[in-house]
Amino acid sequence: MPAERLARLRWAVSPVGELAAALVAASEAPPGDPSVARVRALLGSGRLPTLAAVAHGFTVYLPELLTPPARGFLPGVEEQLHAVATARTSQVGTQFTAFLAGGTARRRRCPWLKGTDLDGADDQVRARIETSESGLRERLAGELHLLWSELLAGHWAGFVAGYEEFVERQARTTARHGLGDSLAALHSSMAWRGGALEIASPHVGEVGGASPLTLIPSQFLRRIALHSPLLRQGGQLVVPVSAPRDARRVHVAPVLGVTRLAILESLTRPRTTTELAARHHLTPGTVSFHLARLLAADLVRRARTGRLVHYTATARARTLLREAGDWGD
């Protein structure tokens, strides 16, 4: 991985990318897997026929249209849906030819594929997808918006909190152990050797060049995925979000984030920002940032006593923690 590419490596959260990850997960997960039950129910409802066909026809290549670049750390979903709806028709045609026909068209986009990985989609999938390029992109944008509304919109703040905590943990690992070790620690299939990031995979190939690479955390995928690897604006390496091992945190931390959960657990009695900072070895500014998020979620309340502001957990927070585990002192 050239120095120029390393210098431009960054993390970003992708709302539409997470919808694409949900489609891939629904395609790959075994029957009855509860983690994708809601996704499969929506795809089977008849309201998302094009996305259902994409999930059914997916093997190794997903059209780049479904994983638009993430502009900034947290792009808005409307911004990304607009990118889908207004993609150039030539790009839509090229990508879905590769998806449906396979063969040389698919190999051009993923040169390392061979054998059955180049097989085309079946007639049922073709019948649901084949239409004009402009009609297809608008239909996909509309169905992605519906999937977003039904699957993620009501939970997105919690998802983002989990992503932020995950990225913060990776930043700490990088600072303490270096970028190579940090990248290798992201997933058991990854290793850093000889200045290159290696990913264990049935496919053998190399993605070179100096175009930027964006790391995208995902709650749905359980493996590493490489999206848009050859596009000039840069590829995306989708990384599963690892859950903390503590039993309570397995359920609560992906929503709150580990740091916010730790702060919340210590608010069994009123504490100031200074107390919390000392207790958790954080700066007062960092504690204030997390408290603002907890206030917005109605999980803490604040009360001023003279010159001091004290924070305590709300009844809603106590209920949340009690359901996840014992509420400690």
Side-chain angles (χ1 to χ4, degrees):
M1 186 178 293
E4 182 180 352
R5 192 170 220 181
L6 278 176
R8 300 168 71 186
L9 188 71
R10 69 184 181 93
W11 284 95
V13 174
S14 176
V16 172
E18 188 69 315
L19 294 175
L23 295 178
V24 172
S27 172
E28 295 180 339
D33 189 327
S35 68
V36 293
R38 177 62 175 159
V39 182
R40 286 173 170 166
L42 289 168
L43 293 175
S45 69
R47 301 161 66 197
L48 304 169
T50 313
L51 292 182
V54 169
H56 179 75
F58 173 78
T59 53
V60 293
Y61 167 72
L62 191 71
E64 295 88 342
L65 176 71
L66 297 172
T67 55
R71 311 293 185 188
F73 177 73
L74 183 58
V77 64
E78 296 297 341
E79 170 193 337
Q80 290 198 309
L81 289 173
H82 177 75
V84 174
T86 59
R88 288 192 298 179
T89 54
S90 59
Q91 293 177 341
V92 178
T94 301
Q95 292 172 24
F96 274 89
T97 295
F99 181 78
L100 294 172
T104 302
R106 190 178 298 171
R107 184 184 284 118
R108 288 196 189 101
R109 311 201 75 77
C110 301
W112 46 86
L113 297 181
K114 58 185 179 180
T116 57
D117 291 334
L118 299 173
D119 289 348
D122 62 38
D123 291 340
Q124 183 181 9
V125 172
R126 288 172 176 270
R128 291 187 184 180
I129 291 178
E130 287 181 335
T131 183
S132 69
E133 287 84 356
S134 59
L136 178 58
R137 67 186 182 183
E138 292 165 9
R139 198 165 71 197
L140 284 168
E143 291 188 21
L144 285 167
H145 185 269
L146 178 58
L147 182 61
W148 163 264
S149 300
E150 296 286 340
L151 183 67
L152 290 182
H155 311 282
W156 189 238
F159 271 64
V160 170
Y163 300 143
E164 288 177 337
E165 179 62 39
F166 179 75
V167 172
E168 286 174 9
R169 275 189 279 143
Q170 306 318 311
R172 289 194 293 270
T173 302
T174 300
R176 294 170 182 170
H177 304 288
L179 181 59
D181 284 351
S182 175
L183 291 173
L186 287 174
H187 195 264
S188 59
S189 66
M190 297 174 67
W192 181 264
R193 296 189 183 94
L197 182 63
E198 297 182 359
I199 303 172
S201 167
H203 312 294
V204 179
E206 180 177 332
V207 180
S211 57
L213 182 67
T214 303
L215 302 172
I216 308 286
S218 172
Q219 295 272 14
F220 284 101
L221 282 184
R222 294 294 175 262
R223 62 172 178 84
I224 297 294
L226 185 62
H227 291 166
S228 313
L230 303 182
L231 292 192
R232 184 175 301 173
Q233 61 264 42
Q236 302 173 22
L237 195 66
V238 184
V239 179
V241 173
S242 58
R245 296 179 182 177
D246 179 87
R248 183 188 304 176
R249 285 170 167 76
V250 168
H251 299 286
V252 181
V255 177
L256 294 181
V258 174
T259 300
R260 282 172 212 156
L261 175 58
I263 290 173
L264 193 59
E265 287 177 321
S266 65
L267 291 176
T268 53
R269 67 173 181 81
R271 298 184 191 274
T272 65
T273 300
T274 302
E275 287 181 271
L276 291 167
R279 185 181 181 92
H280 297 287
H281 308 287
L282 300 169
T283 66
T286 298
V287 172
S288 294
F289 169 78
H290 289 300
L291 285 172
R293 295 297 183 92
L294 293 171
L295 278 165
D298 190 32
L299 294 174
V300 301
R301 69 167 60 91
R302 61 185 170 191
R304 180 177 292 276
T305 306
R307 298 178 62 182
L308 298 177
V309 177
H310 289 88
Y311 294 84
T312 54
T314 62
R316 180 184 182 191
R318 292 193 295 272
T319 300
L320 176 68
L321 293 176
R322 192 176 296 113
E323 290 175 352
D326 292 334
W327 170 253
D329 295 325

